[in-house]
Amino acid sequence: MSSLTGVNKSLVIFAALVVVLAGIKAASVIVIPFVLAAFIAIICNPLIRFFAKYGIPKGIAVVFVMLMIVGVGISLAGLVGQSMTDFSEKLPEYKAQLKEEFVWVVNVAASYNILIDKEQIISLFDPGKMIDVATNMLTGLGGVMANLFLIILTVVFMLFEGPMLSKKVHLALDDPEMKMQQVDRFLDSINSYLAIKTLVSLGTGMLAGFMLWALDVDYFILWAVVAFMLNYIPNIGSIIAAVPPVLLALITQGPLVAGFIAGGYLVINTVMGNIVEPRFMGKGLGLSTLVVFLSLIFWGWLMGTVGMLLSVPLTMIVKIALETSQEGRWLATLLGNGEELKLED
């Protein structure tokens, strides 16, 4: 009887989870700007604390930080928007040139008795689609930022409400001593992750932009912003960001420059992702590599580009929430990177 009760409870939890996910999907127009505002507020919070150390009133600090973010954002949006407009107009021409390059590769392969069906290889591996992935992701984020006024207002209220959040959670939990440790650990982890990831992504974008500018690649500001944004996406973001400028260099400047740019992206991402970021982030957030990749797919399906950018922090919310309950602890262990097992060994 007890096992049957446990099965029924699991079914009820699963059904409730499906309903919640369906609700998030249906209300994505409201949910996505709110989630984005929450994480912008988390990123801005260290700046507010920094100003507080020097006795600057919170209201003035919040207004200054928001004006700075909005000013930089609008200036960057103008530059990137113009680049995207020009690039979109030339995109059909670029795609046609890329197909010609692929046909050339197929002909070279045929000279070495490597027979490849031209139409089949182009249909399966359309180079134009690789450019579309990066530009569509940036366009999707731009669509979310159309609600800029709503996002800014939400961020401002969250920054003012931030200090009260911990106290409210403390009062709301039935077992505050045990669960508050989990909440504090979560807030510290997310704060640390987003702050470090933002700085590393900013450095990655600046280095990529400088390299592309030095090699006279078209729309280098656009590709620098793409590198900055997609660096938030674990595992594959940096690869996607490198594809458009490499292919663009291939058709405008030849394979030598394209190869040099590909090598440059490899060096930048290796140094920033494998040396700089782990040095400051330490052991990270305790998620396995497989879970990070699957979370990228899941949150991308649920909330689009914003979900992909925030897939790791959102998965951490789920993991820590599972750790606070006895029933969900086993699933939290599966989401982890196995550090507990290493400690036992």
Side-chain angles (χ1 to χ4, degrees):
M1 179 67 72
S2 60
S3 62
L4 187 61
T5 303
V7 171
N8 290 337
K9 185 177 179 181
S10 299
L11 289 174
V12 170
I13 293 173
F14 179 75
L17 182 62
V18 170
V19 172
V20 169
L21 292 177
I24 292 174
K25 186 78 172 173
S28 60
V29 176
I30 299 173
V31 172
I32 292 174
F34 176 78
V35 171
L36 186 60
F39 284 96
I40 291 174
I42 292 173
I43 293 172
C44 293
N45 198 48
L47 286 174
I48 303 299
R49 290 180 183 175
F50 174 78
F51 288 127
K53 290 180 181 179
Y54 293 93
I56 298 175
K58 173 170 267 192
I60 296 175
V62 169
V63 170
F64 176 75
V65 170
M66 294 313 301
L67 286 175
M68 182 176 66
I69 291 175
V70 171
V72 172
I74 291 176
S75 301
L76 202 57
L79 292 171
V80 173
Q82 184 60 46
S83 296
M84 282 199 68
T85 301
D86 295 342
F87 180 72
S88 298
E89 292 176 356
K90 294 183 179 180
L91 192 55
E93 179 184 341
Y94 288 146
K95 287 183 178 181
Q97 289 179 299
L98 277 171
K99 285 189 177 182
E100 290 178 8
E101 293 287 343
F102 270 63
V103 170
W104 177 80
V105 170
V106 171
N107 291 333
V108 170
S111 66
Y112 290 94
N113 294 323
I114 302 174
L115 301 178
I116 304 173
D117 188 338
K118 296 179 184 179
E119 296 300 326
Q120 186 176 11
I121 195 67
I122 289 175
S123 63
L124 292 175
F125 193 62
D126 184 358
K129 291 180 180 178
M130 293 185 286
I131 292 180
D132 288 339
V133 170
T135 52
N136 287 344
M137 291 181 71
L138 202 60
T139 303
L141 185 64
V144 175
M145 294 305 290
N147 297 313
L148 184 62
F149 184 69
L150 173 63
I151 293 172
I152 290 172
L153 278 181
T154 308
V155 170
V156 170
F157 286 124
M158 285 180 174
L159 289 174
F160 278 111
E161 192 78 10
M164 297 294 296
L165 179 62
S166 180
K167 295 177 182 178
K168 287 182 179 179
V169 174
H170 185 87
L171 293 173
L173 295 173
D174 294 330
D175 187 10
E177 292 301 326
M178 188 263 295
K179 293 184 178 178
M180 275 302 294
Q181 293 179 1
Q182 301 288 348
V183 173
D184 289 340
R185 185 166 68 85
F186 161 71
L187 293 175
D188 290 342
S189 297
I190 297 302
N191 264 301
S192 174
Y193 171 80
L194 285 177
I196 294 170
K197 194 69 176 178
T198 299
L199 291 175
V200 170
S201 299
L202 185 62
T204 301
M206 291 176 67
L207 289 172
F210 179 77
M211 175 186 68
L212 297 174
W213 169 79
L215 294 173
D216 197 27
V217 177
D218 294 339
Y219 315 113
F220 66 91
I221 295 178
L222 173 62
W223 307 131
V225 174
V226 168
F228 165 70
M229 296 302 302
L230 298 190
N231 197 63
Y232 282 94
I233 299 177
N235 300 329
I236 66 170
S238 300
I239 299 173
I240 296 173
V243 168
V246 169
L247 292 179
L248 188 60
L250 177 65
I251 61 178
T252 57
Q253 300 189 50
L256 182 62
V257 175
F260 191 81
I261 291 172
Y265 266 96
L266 181 62
V267 171
I268 291 170
N269 291 315
T270 300
V271 172
M272 300 300 288
N274 297 330
I275 299 176
V276 176
E277 187 173 313
R279 179 181 177 85
F280 292 99
M281 201 173 288
K283 295 180 180 178
L285 297 180
L287 295 175
S288 74
T289 304
L290 176 61
V291 168
V292 168
F293 181 71
L294 294 178
S295 70
L296 172 68
I297 298 172
F298 172 76
W299 293 112
W301 164 78
L302 189 65
M303 294 195 297
T305 303
V306 173
M308 296 179 76
L309 295 176
L310 301 176
S311 59
V312 170
L314 289 169
T315 306
M316 278 302 301
I317 294 174
V318 175
K319 181 174 182 288
I320 293 175
L322 290 170
E323 287 176 346
T324 60
S325 65
Q326 194 67 35
E327 296 84 359
R329 199 163 293 169
W330 65 273
L331 186 54
T333 302
L334 291 178
L335 295 177
N337 58 5
E339 287 295 329
E340 299 87 350
L341 300 175
K342 293 177 184 177
L343 291 175
E344 289 180 4
D345 293 341

